[in-house]
Amino acid sequence: MSVRPLRSFLVMPFISAAFFAALIEPLAWPEFSNDSEDIIVQTVLEMHHGGEGWIPTLGGAPRLRKPPLANWLSAAAVRPQTITQLDDPDPAIREAAYHQLAFEIRWPALLASCLMLACIGWTAEIIGGRTLGITATLLAGSTLVFFRFSRLAATDAHLALWVSAVHMFFALALIKNRWWTGCLGAGAALGLALMSKGPVALVYAVPGCLVFAALYGGTFSGSPSPLRRPFLSVATGLLLALAISGPWFFDVLINHPQAQREWASEANAEGINNISHDPVFAYLSLLPLMLPWTVYFITGFFLAERDIARRIVGRQSIAYPMLLLVVTILLLSYSPDRKDRYLLPLVGPAAIIAAWPTRCLARPLSHQRPPLLPDPESRALSMFHWGTLAIVALGVFVAGIFMRTANGSPWISVGLLIPSLVIAAGLMVLMIRIRHRPLGVAMITAITMCMLNALFLNGWSASPSGRSEMKPIADRLRQSLPAAFPIAYLEILRPNQPGKPVTLDLDIYLDRIVPVIHDPSKLARPTALVLLEQDVGALPGWNKLFDLISRKHHWYAMSAPATGSTPATAPTPATAPKPATTQTTPGMPGSGLP
């Protein structure tokens, strides 16, 4: 390999490494409060506490709905010392351990997201050349959808990496006619995608590629039927995918017959408590999630649609990301569960479409002058983009000044606001000088968005909305009860008034499995219950330990004495709970939490 191709190959990983370095520090700032992330965190804790590794457990039961690749990688990143310190008697050591746990369990997902950027860049380079590849990489890493979901230790980040790798290798096969390399790489990536989130990976990875092969494959391969000649390479790639993912699925089917029913329930979104029930057009949320590149994305979408409709020679490649995006979204829309995070694996096709106007509209007028002199359409597009970025930046600064953290201070302190404004002014000067150069636009936008992301997370993670609702309850239970005291979560289901689904935050911050029960009379005593305020009257004979008013709910912790004792009997001093007082989360009026 010559020096120039090697340099071209390494530029995408270099950009990905720059994003990783810019985003690694804020990883540990937010507490665990996201449902999809909490599942991974609790599963990893159970693995470190002696649970199964091959088929991890959640709440003591085998976790069969999702394959374990994300759990394995996250568990490998967590140190045993961190797990040990989660139960340290010293609250300061325990707090530092949970901060360290957040960092250790999240960085594999961030790494996967940043490697996804390299795959996106290589795909764009196959389609439209090196400049388009670099632009698409910078663009994908500076979108709102990337910043929002890449920092979570969830399966979506790992799925997004391997789906993007499948798209890249299929592009290598279909557009560059390198079938063996493309099919073997796509097969390996598809196997890992299946191990990340199960059969749904096929929806993201395969249909769009097949539609593109059927419509445009002959254009690039020189064969009227592009799927006949490379049959052996395609079959070998499928066997490789089966070899990677098959052992786990076959083992689960043989040893856990209920798995097939759970997979069917997962596919139909049955038995899932947090289904979004969004309308069929819910994935139009991709438009705001592409900020600040929404204007470029809309322009690129119409340019791609025009070129596909006219079948312009030499531009059929843009049909590849277009079909990947449209076909996949149409298929995903058939599911009743439509969440924004499901769009993360599609940030690659969306970013390439958004980067396309930088290639089509900005044309050099002279071979002697490298800087691009844009035509009126490109100038207008650039102005709309910078206006959007300015609005996003203004929104973050306004929120930083007027929004308050849990202790009542502004999100952005004066000491942080002044240097941030100085940096913003410097970026504005650079923006003016290189505002019409595609790579300059992408680079300045990426730097600005990374800075805004850090400022936003700095304030949001310290605010009540960025903190776990259950952590104050867990802290109070640790203070009020002996270490091994049994604790359960009471969920009373009523007609037209369902109980609030249990959040795994409580299990995580107590570092134990908290069983969900519906009939407290069947519990062995003594024990403690966590429940919502409307259910307090249903527990005669139980004593209130404390109550906590969170941002959304009023929680109670109740205790019952041992069987045969009088409910009013005072506990011994060694295990005596603190007096029952109404408490609030930090930063709210009347807070009495330490």
Side-chain angles (χ1 to χ4, degrees):
M1 180 180 289
S2 63
V3 176
R4 184 166 183 175
L6 178 63
R7 186 185 307 164
S8 177
F9 178 81
L10 294 178
V11 67
M12 311 306 175
F14 177 80
I15 297 173
S16 301
F19 274 106
F20 184 81
L23 301 179
I24 189 70
E25 178 61 27
L27 273 186
W29 296 350
E31 295 177 348
F32 298 118
S33 60
N34 181 277
D35 291 342
S36 60
E37 181 180 54
D38 287 351
I39 292 174
I40 296 291
V41 177
Q42 179 60 20
T43 302
V44 168
L45 290 178
E46 292 184 30
M47 292 173 68
H48 275 274
H49 287 310
E52 290 290 333
W54 177 246
I55 302 178
T57 60
L58 180 64
R63 174 66 176 164
L64 303 177
R65 287 184 176 270
K66 296 289 192 300
L69 180 60
N71 299 317
W72 292 343
L73 296 175
S74 300
V78 176
R79 299 178 303 165
Q81 180 184 359
T82 303
I83 300 296
T84 302
Q85 292 177 342
L86 295 181
D87 292 314
D88 195 282
D90 188 344
I93 296 178
R94 194 166 61 241
E95 188 74 19
Y98 273 104
H99 185 84
Q100 184 66 21
L101 175 67
F103 173 81
E104 292 173 355
I105 210 167
R106 285 170 177 159
W107 74 256
L110 177 62
L111 179 62
S113 299
C114 292
L115 291 175
M116 173 192 70
L117 298 181
C119 293
I120 293 171
W122 286 324
T123 305
E125 184 172 2
I126 293 171
I127 291 173
R130 182 183 179 188
T131 300
L132 182 69
I134 297 174
T135 305
T137 306
L138 292 168
L139 192 150
S142 56
T143 55
L144 182 60
V145 63
F146 179 81
F147 287 119
R148 183 175 174 184
F149 299 117
S150 64
R151 58 182 173 82
L152 297 176
T155 57
D156 301 280
H158 299 276
L159 175 67
L161 166 61
W162 300 117
V163 166
S164 298
V166 172
H167 293 166
M168 177 189 69
F169 282 112
F170 267 132
L172 198 63
L174 293 168
I175 297 175
K176 296 297 185 181
N177 204 22
R178 296 173 60 180
W179 285 95
W180 277 105
T181 302
C183 290
L184 291 178
L190 181 60
L192 293 169
L194 289 168
M195 287 299 293
S196 297
K197 205 167 183 176
V200 72
L202 298 173
V203 177
Y204 287 95
V206 177
C209 298
L210 293 180
V211 173
F212 176 79
L215 295 177
Y216 295 98
T219 304
F220 300 99
S221 65
S223 169
S225 182
L227 296 182
R228 289 182 182 175
R229 185 164 53 86
F231 175 79
L232 184 58
S233 59
V234 172
T236 305
L238 291 175
L239 289 175
L240 181 58
L242 185 62
I244 292 174
S245 60
W248 188 87
F249 285 99
F250 291 150
D251 180 69
V252 169
L253 285 174
I254 293 173
N255 297 300
H256 300 273
Q258 74 275 23
Q260 188 172 359
R261 184 172 60 255
E262 290 199 24
W263 292 342
S265 175
E266 180 84 358
N268 298 325
E270 297 175 356
I272 303 175
N273 291 326
N274 57 348
I275 295 179
S276 53
H277 293 296
D278 289 323
V280 70
F281 50 83
Y283 287 124
L284 288 177
S285 60
L286 181 63
L287 294 177
L289 287 174
M290 285 299 293
L291 284 171
W293 296 99
T294 303
V295 176
Y296 271 89
F297 173 72
I298 294 174
T299 305
F301 191 90
F302 283 106
L303 284 173
E305 185 273 335
R306 182 197 66 183
D307 289 350
I308 292 172
R310 297 179 181 177
R311 299 184 66 86
I312 299 176
V313 177
R315 287 192 180 181
Q316 288 93 336
S317 300
I318 192 58
Y320 185 64
M322 183 76 162
L323 291 172
L324 290 177
L325 183 67
V326 173
V327 172
T328 306
I329 286 182
L330 288 176
L331 293 175
L332 292 176
S333 297
Y334 277 96
S335 171
D337 190 23
R338 307 178 186 98
K339 293 186 174 68
D340 290 346
R341 58 187 172 88
Y342 297 161
L343 292 171
L344 182 62
L346 297 177
V347 68
I352 297 173
I353 292 172
W356 197 254
T358 65
R359 181 177 182 268
C360 295
L361 293 181
R363 305 182 183 91
L365 300 182
S366 171
H367 294 289
Q368 288 75 33
R369 300 183 63 182
L372 297 178
L373 301 177
D375 54 24
E377 291 85 357
S378 180
R379 185 180 293 109
L381 184 63
S382 178
M383 291 176 60
F384 274 114
H385 170 72
W386 292 123
T388 303
L389 183 61
I391 293 173
V392 173
L394 182 63
V396 172
F397 279 109
V398 170
I401 295 172
F402 291 100
M403 300 294 286
R404 290 294 181 264
T405 63
N407 60 13
S409 61
W411 278 19
I412 304 178
S413 62
V414 176
L416 187 61
L417 179 63
I418 294 176
S420 299
L421 291 174
V422 172
I423 295 175
L427 291 174
M428 186 175 298
V429 172
L430 286 175
M431 176 192 74
I432 294 173
R433 293 184 61 86
I434 59 176
R435 62 189 181 277
H436 296 315
R437 303 180 189 178
L439 287 181
V441 171
M443 190 176 302
I444 295 300
T445 301
I447 295 173
T448 303
M449 289 297 292
C450 286
M451 183 188 74
L452 295 176
N453 175 71
L455 290 175
F456 174 81
L457 284 180
N458 177 71
W460 179 79
S461 60
S463 68
S465 59
R467 292 188 169 187
S468 168
E469 188 178 20
M470 307 300 285
K471 184 176 182 298
I473 301 174
D475 291 340
R476 287 282 295 179
L477 287 170
R478 287 179 183 268
Q479 296 172 5
S480 303
L481 301 171
F485 200 87
I487 300 173
Y489 177 93
L490 178 61
E491 183 179 48
I492 298 180
L493 302 180
R494 301 170 177 173
N496 302 322
Q497 190 181 359
K500 180 183 184 295
V502 64
T503 58
L504 289 173
D505 303 17
L506 186 62
D507 302 58
I508 293 170
Y509 286 107
L510 284 174
D511 194 23
R512 65 164 81 177
I513 298 173
V514 180
V516 180
I517 59 102
H518 298 94
D519 186 359
S521 65
K522 297 181 180 180
L523 283 174
R525 298 188 180 190
T527 191
L529 286 179
V530 176
L531 66 158
L532 287 174
E533 112 182 78
Q534 63 264 27
D535 299 323
V536 172
L539 297 175
W542 289 69
N543 302 319
K544 185 177 73 171
L545 287 173
F546 58 85
D547 57 329
L548 287 168
I549 300 175
S550 70
R551 187 170 58 96
K552 296 180 180 179
H553 303 96
H554 193 160
W555 297 92
Y556 279 82
M558 311 292 289
S559 68
T563 303
S565 62
T566 304
T569 301
T572 60
T575 62
K578 295 186 177 181
T581 55
T582 301
Q583 302 289 349
T584 63
T585 51
M588 298 185 67
S591 174
L593 283 178

